[in-house]
Amino acid sequence: MAQAELIVDLDALVANWRALSDRSAGEAGAVVKADAYGLGLAPVATALARAGARRFFVAEAEEGAALRAALGAGPEIFVFNGHMAGDADTIRAADLVPLLNSPEQVARHLEAAPEAPCGVQLDSGMNRLGLEPADWAEVRPRLPAPRLVMSHLACADDADHPMNARQLAAFRAMTEGVDAPRSLAATGGVLMDPGFHFDLTRPGIGVYGGLPFAEARPVVTLRLPVIQTREVAPGESVGYGMTWIAERDARIATVAGGYGDGLHRIMGPHLAFHAGETPCPVRGRISMDLIGVEVTHLDAPPETLELLGAHQGVDDLAAHAGTIGYEILTALGQGRYARRYTGG
């Protein structure tokens, strides 16, 4: 294998979506923004549509247009960022539903694309996107019947956090009497009390195998080819900065991959690859294109080493980098990998 290979198990991805759909009190949509969290918008969304997803969420209108090209007519496509300046033609052509976030967006939509459907995003306390209560009260009489009224939970990865109850109460108060489907829960919210679910849930990271959906099936396998194996004597170092020095004879495999492929440099001191069932620790710093891995304890030099798979998931990598699985997946999506899809 000349190139690192990123394998996406579409059957596992669909199984995760179905499991979250089964837990939802209402309908389950699917969040496919950022190129389906880096795993490929068209193949991922197509697999989810075949599984029964009919409502999809993207961040911006350009993503929505690409999704419409992949899915064709029928499914609803909601745009979290709403109606930005210059979006009107794309919204009409791709039959998108912008989730309006401010009085300015409401005015823009009613002026530039009054015939196009829209939804509304409300700020229930996260202070990121959405209409404030006073703004919502002012624009609500001027809006046509929205396709969806939604908000977003700030602390859903911690089911016991008091912010969840505060936001639930705020969302209920702001949407009392609304004649439209309502949505508050993404993956974390789906795993909480059904009172958070309303008419539509928005599974995202759990579909792709990440926390807080601990029962998710692994979706991503990442294998890197070994370019060269060399013997390192005691006292010799590996990689930039001499951060690792051999204390005994060691065999080091240099693999093709690095922070240019979303494998963050900070992971290095704690990271291990796998050769079958056997962990193989990283030695020295992760560089842009290359990583040193100790394989002294293997019977023979490997041709490839596995970084993601059954033994190590995206949240394991995230822990080594001091971040979250979302960032790992989207960073991998920018890497120089040969993508392969199975199942679906």
Side-chain angles (χ1 to χ4, degrees):
M1 185 173 69
Q3 187 179 10
E5 187 176 49
L6 185 71
I7 303 165
V8 180
D9 184 343
L10 295 175
D11 286 342
L13 181 139
V14 165
N16 292 338
W17 179 80
R18 284 181 170 147
L20 291 166
S21 178
D22 289 344
R23 292 193 183 201
S24 299
E27 180 185 350
V31 180
V32 293
K33 62 182 179 177
D35 195 31
Y37 289 47
L39 300 187
L41 179 64
V44 165
T46 300
L48 291 172
R50 283 197 295 263
R54 304 307 297 162
R55 293 180 172 184
F56 292 83
F57 293 85
V58 295
E60 55 188 32
E62 289 75 13
E63 290 180 328
L67 179 58
R68 178 63 70 201
L71 294 181
E76 278 192 305
I77 300 173
F78 295 93
V79 181
F80 284 130
N81 290 0
H83 189 147
M84 302 290 287
D87 279 353
D89 288 345
T90 303
I91 287 169
R92 281 192 291 261
D95 190 22
L96 307 179
V97 184
L99 293 161
L100 306 179
N101 291 292
S102 66
E104 294 77 15
Q105 287 199 353
V106 171
R108 179 181 298 128
H109 188 75
L110 293 178
E111 179 180 350
E115 77 289 356
C118 66
V120 174
Q121 186 161 190
L122 304 177
D123 177 26
S124 58
M126 191 173 186
N127 284 307
R128 191 176 66 167
L129 282 179
L131 289 156
E132 301 289 339
D135 292 330
W136 171 228
E138 190 275 323
V139 304
R140 186 171 168 180
R142 297 191 285 118
L143 277 175
R147 293 282 184 89
L148 185 70
V149 177
M150 66 154 285
S151 189
H152 197 68
L153 294 167
C155 301
D157 55 344
D158 179 0
D160 297 323
H161 198 290
M163 183 62 165
N164 296 320
R166 292 201 297 270
Q167 286 194 260
L168 177 60
F171 184 64
R172 282 176 171 162
M174 292 175 75
T175 59
E176 185 176 359
V178 167
D179 186 18
R182 294 181 291 174
S183 178
L184 180 62
T187 297
V190 172
L191 302 176
M192 295 195 299
D193 184 272
F196 287 88
H197 295 180
F198 294 92
D199 304 290
L200 179 71
T201 61
R202 309 184 307 273
I205 187 64
V207 174
Y208 303 95
L211 293 175
F213 188 28
E215 299 165 30
R217 285 173 51 178
V219 171
V220 181
T221 299
L222 178 59
R223 296 192 185 107
L224 276 64
V226 173
I227 303 172
Q228 185 183 52
T229 303
R230 57 162 73 277
E231 304 298 324
V232 176
E236 292 187 320
S237 63
V238 173
Y240 286 115
M242 298 182 67
T243 59
W244 183 81
I245 298 174
E247 296 180 355
R248 55 182 173 77
D249 289 331
R251 182 179 300 116
I252 302 296
T254 302
V255 300
Y259 58 75
D261 305 290
L263 305 178
H264 304 307
R265 187 171 178 263
I266 196 173
M267 296 176 184
H270 313 289
L271 192 62
F273 286 72
H274 278 80
E277 300 291 323
T278 306
C280 302
V282 167
R283 298 304 190 199
R285 288 179 178 166
I286 293 174
S287 56
M288 186 182 294
D289 315 297
L290 303 169
I291 304 172
V293 182
E294 184 169 2
V295 294
T296 312
H297 50 305
L298 300 182
D299 293 335
E303 294 185 0
T304 64
L305 287 167
E306 183 177 284
L307 184 59
L308 281 172
H311 303 290
Q312 187 165 245
V314 293
D315 290 289
D316 296 311
L317 263 62
H320 297 324
T323 185
I324 55 177
Y326 300 75
E327 185 176 358
I328 297 299
L329 281 175
T330 53
L332 291 178
Q334 302 169 36
R336 296 163 288 185
Y337 304 118
R339 287 190 191 176
R340 183 161 62 87
Y341 296 89
T342 63

